[in-house]
Amino acid sequence: MAKNPAYDHYMRAGDAERNHAKTCKSCSGSRRCAVGQQLWTAFEKAQDAHMSSPWPQPGRR
C-alpha cells in the first residue's frame, strides 16, 4: 500500500504538540501557551486533512 502523506503529516503534528506539552510549564490539559496553541491548531488542521483524505484510512476497509 502506498504511503498517505496526509497521515504522515498528521502523525508528525501530533508528535510535535505532545513533545511541546511535555516540556512546557505553561501548557496544561486545558490551557496552552502561544506556541502550544499554534502546534495544537496545526495538529487539528492536519487531522482534518487526514480524515478527509481519499486515501484508505489505517484500520479501515
Side-chain angles (χ1 to χ4, degrees):
M1 179 184 302
K3 290 280 258 174
N4 179 343
Y7 176 76
D8 292 340
H9 181 69
Y10 161 59
M11 296 306 292
R12 284 191 308 274
D15 289 343
E17 192 280 328
R18 281 187 296 278
N19 289 337
H20 172 80
K22 286 179 192 174
T23 60
C24 181
K25 300 207 185 298
S26 298
C27 290
S28 68
S30 59
R31 300 187 74 194
R32 293 179 182 87
C33 71
V35 172
Q37 185 58 51
Q38 288 175 332
L39 290 168
W40 180 257
T41 299
F43 167 73
E44 288 180 319
K45 287 179 181 180
Q47 184 180 43
D48 289 345
H50 165 60
M51 295 307 290
S52 63
S53 170
W55 290 69
Q57 305 292 324
R60 292 187 184 173
R61 295 179 188 242

